[in-house]
Amino acid sequence: MEASAAQHHAQTFTLVSPGGMVKGDIRLSSAGVLVYSVAVYGESVVEESELGITVDGVCLGSEVRIEGGSVAEIRETYPTRGCHTQAVNHCFQLTAAIRHVPSDTVWTLMARCYDDGFAFRYVIPGEAGAGSRLVGGEASSWTMPAGSSVWYFERDNGWKLKSYAGEWLKVPAERLHEVSGQGPVQGTPLVYDLAGGDGRRVRYAAVMEAALSDYSGMRIEAQEGRRLRANFTEGENGFEVAGTIVTPWRVVLVSPDLDGLVNSDLLTNLNPAPSPELFADTGYIRPGRSVWRWWSLGTGTPEEERRMIDCAQELGFEYTTIDEGWERWDDPWGSLRELTAYAAERGIGVFVWKRSKEINHPADGWASIRSFFRKVKEAGCAGLKVDFIDCEDKASIDFEVNALRIAAELKLMINFHGISKPTGESRTYPNEISREGIRGLELNKMKEGPIPAFHNAALPFTRFVAGHGDYTPVGFTNPGATTWAHQLATAVLFTSPLQVIAENPEVLLRDQRVAPALELLKAIPSVWDETRVLPVSDIARLAVMARRSGQVWFLAALNGTGKAMTVELELAPLLGDVRWGGVQVLSPTPEVLERRELRREPGDGAIRIALQPADGWVAMITPN
């Protein structure tokens, strides 16, 4: 190992990131408990916090010795999708042997230090076929800095941690344990604004998990003293794991600005590469836009869904999504085959809905999943929308992973709904084309809704930091207290390789009020070559991004406030001091879209955009 990467002194390891920005210290406390801390540029981000896991009633993080370890450098690139096209995975990885003295158990603590974060996991050896062991919980914790505030999602009912569909709110870190009517347990990510410390070089931190597989999904119990502790659905009952226990990575992502939060590949970096055998052929995995009838009109008859395919073709979209209700057609499978054949002639793929509980049966090697998915494949579908998982206990995670694996064997894509957060698994299973786990536009149809503008202006810097999200954007006919330009901007700012557009496509194509935005709406892609967060952005108040596809830049802004504002955008640092031109779409009044030309000559200054309350703005420009 390089001296700059790690140092080992007796019962202490210090791990430093490749660029020297992030440092993680792992050591034994005076009480013989395994602890760690994280600093960035010498500034504390995670104060001394406990490590450990309980297996078969034994806490393996206390009464331990560190018996040495090794450090290796990881340096690779791989294709990714969403904010950009290539990810860089560069870190130093520690593999340390930990002996639990009373039981004489030796297990492995792994840690990785990146220039944008620190992560750790536990590996408890076991033998295949020796039966399962009970994981009773973890001591994994994070003590966050004083004076910081935290963004968390709130849904004040029993669906909060089933659906992860809460509004994003901000609270002082000292109060997180007491603010929710649902108790102190929160979902991830938790996004911290560290601005309370004057002069900090690192502004943001996010607590998350990565590579969730063969384990229960981690929630966070907020405790007094700004402390967070790992929490699991199974609670005191624990959950069983067979063979070697490999926990997901416990992660703190750090960034000096919002651009670093949005563009981080930390979660996918912590996931294994896809299996070369399972994904020898990835040609079937195609990002794109989908029409969708359910949000505006409900699932239709076969003939009405055929009309959706015609609309997808006219819009230039790649997919249609047939939602709940198709299985009640008179001849569901025959009608589905006819629809997919009709769609294939027009270059359109079909996603079809399925309730997870009807196929969530592990018997006979998940035969229930395999049987249904095979029928979907034989019917000619491109993928499935698997819904209402509504839990992240180990049994639910096992279902999700096996659904992805079996779908990959059959060359099918998956869009999960009614599900918890992503953990970067789309690297290992690139056929996961999107997932919900977000408070999306369907809430505008519910009594809990509609979605407020501040939630939308927070999402790019909170939930979407964890990965893709099927929010189903663009709802002109039911926009809540937002403008139509605000709705349009969400299609640019919200990342989902399968971008399911909520609005009735007949409205998009025929309503003259939408006509000023139609050309632009047809052109917005679902994945991007490059993403830049502009410095004027401020979580929940104002979200502004520039996103490039080929040579074309799309710019979008969301006003999350109830006040009008004028925003100056200095684009020369982004595009260069060159001539460029394009179009912009704005809302002079809430339910009006207006298209205007947008031009710039070399030497021109910043452009100014006027945003009404809860407004938005979108531009499509090409440098000459």
Side-chain angles (χ1 to χ4, degrees), residues 236-274:
E236 295 179 355
N237 294 326
F239 52 91
E240 293 187 346
V241 179
T244 297
I245 300 169
V246 181
T247 75
W249 292 95
R250 282 63 185 96
V251 183
V252 59
L253 165 65
V254 297
S255 176
D257 53 32
L258 294 175
D259 186 71
L261 274 185
V262 168
N263 279 291
S264 175
D265 294 307
L266 186 56
L267 290 196
T268 52
N269 285 344
L270 290 162
N271 276 261

Short mmCIF file of all heavy atoms in Angstrom, two decimals, residues 236-274:
data_model
loop_
_atom_site.label_atom_id
_atom_site.label_comp_id
_atom_site.label_asym_id
_atom_site.label_seq_id
_atom_site.Cartn_x
_atom_site.Cartn_y
_atom_site.Cartn_z
N GLU A 236 -36.40 -6.16 16.56
CA GLU A 236 -35.74 -7.07 17.50
C GLU A 236 -35.75 -8.51 17.01
O GLU A 236 -34.93 -9.32 17.47
CB GLU A 236 -36.42 -6.98 18.88
CG GLU A 236 -36.27 -5.62 19.56
CD GLU A 236 -36.97 -5.58 20.89
OE1 GLU A 236 -37.66 -6.58 21.23
OE2 GLU A 236 -36.85 -4.57 21.61
N ASN A 237 -36.66 -8.85 16.11
CA ASN A 237 -36.71 -10.23 15.61
C ASN A 237 -35.53 -10.58 14.73
O ASN A 237 -35.18 -11.75 14.58
CB ASN A 237 -38.01 -10.46 14.83
CG ASN A 237 -39.23 -10.37 15.71
OD1 ASN A 237 -39.19 -10.73 16.89
ND2 ASN A 237 -40.33 -9.87 15.16
N GLY A 238 -34.92 -9.58 14.13
CA GLY A 238 -33.79 -9.81 13.25
C GLY A 238 -34.19 -10.53 11.97
O GLY A 238 -35.37 -10.75 11.69
N PHE A 239 -33.19 -10.91 11.19
CA PHE A 239 -33.45 -11.62 9.93
C PHE A 239 -32.32 -12.60 9.68
O PHE A 239 -31.20 -12.42 10.17
CB PHE A 239 -33.59 -10.65 8.76
CG PHE A 239 -32.45 -9.67 8.63
CD1 PHE A 239 -31.34 -9.95 7.85
CD2 PHE A 239 -32.48 -8.46 9.32
CE1 PHE A 239 -30.29 -9.06 7.74
CE2 PHE A 239 -31.43 -7.55 9.21
CZ PHE A 239 -30.33 -7.85 8.42
N GLU A 240 -32.61 -13.66 8.95
CA GLU A 240 -31.65 -14.73 8.75
C GLU A 240 -30.91 -14.57 7.43
O GLU A 240 -31.50 -14.20 6.41
CB GLU A 240 -32.34 -16.09 8.80
CG GLU A 240 -32.89 -16.42 10.18
CD GLU A 240 -33.41 -17.84 10.27
OE1 GLU A 240 -33.60 -18.48 9.20
OE2 GLU A 240 -33.64 -18.31 11.40
N VAL A 241 -29.61 -14.87 7.46
CA VAL A 241 -28.77 -14.87 6.27
C VAL A 241 -27.99 -16.17 6.25
O VAL A 241 -27.38 -16.55 7.26
CB VAL A 241 -27.79 -13.68 6.26
CG1 VAL A 241 -26.90 -13.72 5.02
CG2 VAL A 241 -28.55 -12.35 6.32
N ALA A 242 -28.00 -16.85 5.11
CA ALA A 242 -27.28 -18.11 4.98
C ALA A 242 -25.86 -17.86 4.48
O ALA A 242 -25.60 -16.93 3.72
CB ALA A 242 -28.02 -19.03 4.01
N GLY A 243 -24.93 -18.71 4.92
CA GLY A 243 -23.56 -18.62 4.44
C GLY A 243 -22.86 -17.38 4.97
O GLY A 243 -23.15 -16.87 6.06
N THR A 244 -21.90 -16.89 4.20
CA THR A 244 -21.18 -15.68 4.59
C THR A 244 -22.11 -14.48 4.58
O THR A 244 -22.86 -14.28 3.62
CB THR A 244 -20.00 -15.44 3.63
OG1 THR A 244 -19.08 -16.53 3.75
CG2 THR A 244 -19.29 -14.13 3.96
N ILE A 245 -22.07 -13.70 5.62
CA ILE A 245 -22.88 -12.49 5.73
C ILE A 245 -22.07 -11.32 5.18
O ILE A 245 -21.00 -11.00 5.71
CB ILE A 245 -23.29 -12.21 7.19
CG1 ILE A 245 -24.12 -13.38 7.75
CG2 ILE A 245 -24.06 -10.90 7.29
CD1 ILE A 245 -24.33 -13.30 9.25
N VAL A 246 -22.54 -10.73 4.11
CA VAL A 246 -21.89 -9.55 3.51
C VAL A 246 -22.90 -8.42 3.56
O VAL A 246 -23.91 -8.44 2.85
CB VAL A 246 -21.44 -9.81 2.07
CG1 VAL A 246 -20.74 -8.58 1.49
CG2 VAL A 246 -20.53 -11.02 2.00
N THR A 247 -22.67 -7.44 4.40
CA THR A 247 -23.64 -6.36 4.53
C THR A 247 -23.52 -5.41 3.35
O THR A 247 -22.48 -5.34 2.69
CB THR A 247 -23.42 -5.56 5.83
OG1 THR A 247 -22.27 -4.72 5.68
CG2 THR A 247 -23.25 -6.48 7.02
N PRO A 248 -24.57 -4.66 3.06
CA PRO A 248 -24.43 -3.54 2.13
C PRO A 248 -23.42 -2.53 2.68
O PRO A 248 -23.08 -2.55 3.86
CB PRO A 248 -25.84 -2.94 2.06
CG PRO A 248 -26.74 -4.04 2.54
CD PRO A 248 -25.94 -4.80 3.57
N TRP A 249 -22.97 -1.65 1.82
CA TRP A 249 -22.09 -0.57 2.25
C TRP A 249 -22.89 0.50 2.98
O TRP A 249 -23.99 0.86 2.55
CB TRP A 249 -21.40 0.07 1.05
CG TRP A 249 -20.41 -0.81 0.36
CD1 TRP A 249 -20.63 -1.60 -0.74
CD2 TRP A 249 -19.03 -0.99 0.70
NE1 TRP A 249 -19.49 -2.25 -1.11
CE2 TRP A 249 -18.48 -1.90 -0.24
CE3 TRP A 249 -18.20 -0.46 1.69
CZ2 TRP A 249 -17.14 -2.30 -0.22
CZ3 TRP A 249 -16.87 -0.86 1.72
CH2 TRP A 249 -16.34 -1.76 0.78
N ARG A 250 -22.34 1.02 4.08
CA ARG A 250 -22.91 2.15 4.79
C ARG A 250 -22.10 3.37 4.36
O ARG A 250 -20.87 3.38 4.46
CB ARG A 250 -22.81 1.93 6.30
CG ARG A 250 -23.89 0.97 6.84
CD ARG A 250 -23.80 -0.45 6.29
NE ARG A 250 -24.89 -1.29 6.73
CZ ARG A 250 -26.01 -1.52 6.05
NH1 ARG A 250 -26.20 -0.98 4.87
NH2 ARG A 250 -26.94 -2.32 6.53
N VAL A 251 -22.77 4.39 3.88
CA VAL A 251 -22.14 5.42 3.05
C VAL A 251 -22.38 6.81 3.60
O VAL A 251 -23.50 7.13 4.03
CB VAL A 251 -22.71 5.35 1.61
CG1 VAL A 251 -22.01 6.36 0.71
CG2 VAL A 251 -22.61 3.94 1.04
N VAL A 252 -21.34 7.65 3.55
CA VAL A 252 -21.54 9.09 3.67
C VAL A 252 -20.90 9.73 2.43
O VAL A 252 -19.71 9.56 2.17
CB VAL A 252 -20.96 9.67 4.98
CG1 VAL A 252 -19.48 9.41 5.12
CG2 VAL A 252 -21.26 11.17 5.06
N LEU A 253 -21.73 10.38 1.64
CA LEU A 253 -21.31 11.11 0.45
C LEU A 253 -21.05 12.56 0.85
O LEU A 253 -21.83 13.13 1.62
CB LEU A 253 -22.41 11.04 -0.61
CG LEU A 253 -22.36 12.00 -1.79
CD1 LEU A 253 -21.16 11.73 -2.66
CD2 LEU A 253 -23.65 11.89 -2.61
N VAL A 254 -19.98 13.15 0.36
CA VAL A 254 -19.66 14.54 0.70
C VAL A 254 -19.43 15.34 -0.58
O VAL A 254 -18.98 14.81 -1.59
CB VAL A 254 -18.42 14.64 1.61
CG1 VAL A 254 -18.68 13.95 2.93
CG2 VAL A 254 -17.19 14.06 0.93
N SER A 255 -19.75 16.63 -0.53
CA SER A 255 -19.55 17.48 -1.70
C SER A 255 -19.46 18.94 -1.27
O SER A 255 -20.18 19.37 -0.36
CB SER A 255 -20.71 17.32 -2.68
OG SER A 255 -20.58 18.21 -3.77
N PRO A 256 -18.63 19.72 -1.96
CA PRO A 256 -18.57 21.15 -1.66
C PRO A 256 -19.76 21.91 -2.22
O PRO A 256 -20.01 23.04 -1.81
CB PRO A 256 -17.27 21.59 -2.34
CG PRO A 256 -17.10 20.62 -3.46
CD PRO A 256 -17.62 19.31 -2.95
N ASP A 257 -20.50 21.30 -3.18
CA ASP A 257 -21.59 22.02 -3.82
C ASP A 257 -22.64 21.04 -4.33
O ASP A 257 -22.48 19.82 -4.25
CB ASP A 257 -21.06 22.89 -4.98
CG ASP A 257 -20.21 22.09 -5.97
OD1 ASP A 257 -20.48 20.89 -6.16
OD2 ASP A 257 -19.29 22.68 -6.56
N LEU A 258 -23.74 21.60 -4.86
CA LEU A 258 -24.84 20.78 -5.33
C LEU A 258 -24.48 20.02 -6.60
O LEU A 258 -24.99 18.93 -6.85
CB LEU A 258 -26.08 21.64 -5.56
CG LEU A 258 -26.70 22.24 -4.30
CD1 LEU A 258 -27.85 23.18 -4.66
CD2 LEU A 258 -27.18 21.16 -3.33
N ASP A 259 -23.59 20.57 -7.41
CA ASP A 259 -23.17 19.87 -8.62
C ASP A 259 -22.50 18.55 -8.27
O ASP A 259 -22.72 17.53 -8.93
CB ASP A 259 -22.21 20.76 -9.42
CG ASP A 259 -21.85 20.14 -10.75
OD1 ASP A 259 -22.71 20.08 -11.64
OD2 ASP A 259 -20.69 19.70 -10.91
N GLY A 260 -21.69 18.55 -7.21
CA GLY A 260 -21.04 17.32 -6.79
C GLY A 260 -22.02 16.29 -6.26
O GLY A 260 -21.85 15.08 -6.48
N LEU A 261 -23.06 16.74 -5.56
CA LEU A 261 -24.10 15.82 -5.10
C LEU A 261 -24.78 15.14 -6.27
O LEU A 261 -24.94 13.91 -6.31
CB LEU A 261 -25.15 16.57 -4.28
CG LEU A 261 -24.95 16.79 -2.79
CD1 LEU A 261 -26.19 17.45 -2.20
CD2 LEU A 261 -24.66 15.50 -2.05
N VAL A 262 -25.19 15.92 -7.25
CA VAL A 262 -25.97 15.41 -8.36
C VAL A 262 -25.14 14.47 -9.24
O VAL A 262 -25.64 13.46 -9.74
CB VAL A 262 -26.54 16.58 -9.20
CG1 VAL A 262 -27.11 16.10 -10.52
CG2 VAL A 262 -27.60 17.31 -8.38
N ASN A 263 -23.86 14.78 -9.44
CA ASN A 263 -23.03 14.02 -10.37
C ASN A 263 -22.23 12.90 -9.73
O ASN A 263 -21.49 12.20 -10.42
CB ASN A 263 -22.08 14.97 -11.09
CG ASN A 263 -22.76 15.69 -12.24
OD1 ASN A 263 -23.11 15.08 -13.24
ND2 ASN A 263 -22.96 17.00 -12.09
N SER A 264 -22.38 12.67 -8.44
CA SER A 264 -21.62 11.61 -7.78
C SER A 264 -22.04 10.23 -8.29
O SER A 264 -23.22 9.94 -8.47
CB SER A 264 -21.83 11.66 -6.27
OG SER A 264 -21.18 10.56 -5.65
N ASP A 265 -21.04 9.37 -8.49
CA ASP A 265 -21.28 7.97 -8.85
C ASP A 265 -20.98 7.04 -7.68
O ASP A 265 -20.76 5.84 -7.86
CB ASP A 265 -20.40 7.58 -10.05
CG ASP A 265 -20.77 8.31 -11.31
OD1 ASP A 265 -21.96 8.29 -11.68
OD2 ASP A 265 -19.88 8.93 -11.93
N LEU A 266 -20.96 7.59 -6.48
CA LEU A 266 -20.50 6.82 -5.33
C LEU A 266 -21.32 5.54 -5.12
O LEU A 266 -20.77 4.46 -4.88
CB LEU A 266 -20.55 7.69 -4.07
CG LEU A 266 -19.96 7.09 -2.79
CD1 LEU A 266 -18.52 6.65 -2.98
CD2 LEU A 266 -20.07 8.08 -1.64
N LEU A 267 -22.64 5.62 -5.22
CA LEU A 267 -23.45 4.43 -4.95
C LEU A 267 -23.23 3.35 -5.98
O LEU A 267 -23.10 2.16 -5.65
CB LEU A 267 -24.93 4.80 -4.86
CG LEU A 267 -25.37 5.60 -3.64
CD1 LEU A 267 -26.89 5.55 -3.50
CD2 LEU A 267 -24.71 5.14 -2.37
N THR A 268 -23.20 3.70 -7.26
CA THR A 268 -22.95 2.67 -8.28
C THR A 268 -21.52 2.16 -8.19
O THR A 268 -21.26 0.98 -8.44
CB THR A 268 -23.27 3.19 -9.68
OG1 THR A 268 -22.59 4.43 -9.91
CG2 THR A 268 -24.76 3.38 -9.87
N ASN A 269 -20.56 3.03 -7.82
CA ASN A 269 -19.18 2.57 -7.64
C ASN A 269 -19.07 1.45 -6.61
O ASN A 269 -18.20 0.58 -6.71
CB ASN A 269 -18.29 3.73 -7.20
CG ASN A 269 -17.96 4.69 -8.32
OD1 ASN A 269 -18.14 4.39 -9.49
ND2 ASN A 269 -17.49 5.88 -7.96
N LEU A 270 -19.93 1.48 -5.61
CA LEU A 270 -19.88 0.51 -4.52
C LEU A 270 -20.61 -0.79 -4.86
O LEU A 270 -20.62 -1.72 -4.04
CB LEU A 270 -20.46 1.13 -3.25
CG LEU A 270 -19.58 2.22 -2.61
CD1 LEU A 270 -20.39 3.08 -1.66
CD2 LEU A 270 -18.38 1.60 -1.90
N ASN A 271 -21.22 -0.85 -6.03
CA ASN A 271 -21.91 -2.06 -6.47
C ASN A 271 -21.03 -2.87 -7.40
O ASN A 271 -20.21 -2.31 -8.14
CB ASN A 271 -23.20 -1.69 -7.19
CG ASN A 271 -24.36 -1.46 -6.24
OD1 ASN A 271 -25.19 -2.34 -6.03
ND2 ASN A 271 -24.41 -0.27 -5.64
N PRO A 272 -21.20 -4.19 -7.41
CA PRO A 272 -20.42 -5.03 -8.33
C PRO A 272 -20.77 -4.74 -9.78
O PRO A 272 -21.87 -4.30 -10.11
CB PRO A 272 -20.84 -6.46 -7.94
CG PRO A 272 -21.52 -6.35 -6.64
CD PRO A 272 -22.10 -4.98 -6.56
N ALA A 273 -19.81 -5.00 -10.65
CA ALA A 273 -20.07 -4.92 -12.08
C ALA A 273 -21.10 -5.97 -12.48
O ALA A 273 -21.26 -6.99 -11.79
CB ALA A 273 -18.78 -5.13 -12.85
N PRO A 274 -21.82 -5.77 -13.58
CA PRO A 274 -22.80 -6.77 -14.00
C PRO A 274 -22.13 -8.08 -14.40
O PRO A 274 -20.98 -8.11 -14.86
CB PRO A 274 -23.48 -6.11 -15.21
CG PRO A 274 -22.52 -5.06 -15.67
CD PRO A 274 -21.79 -4.60 -14.46
#
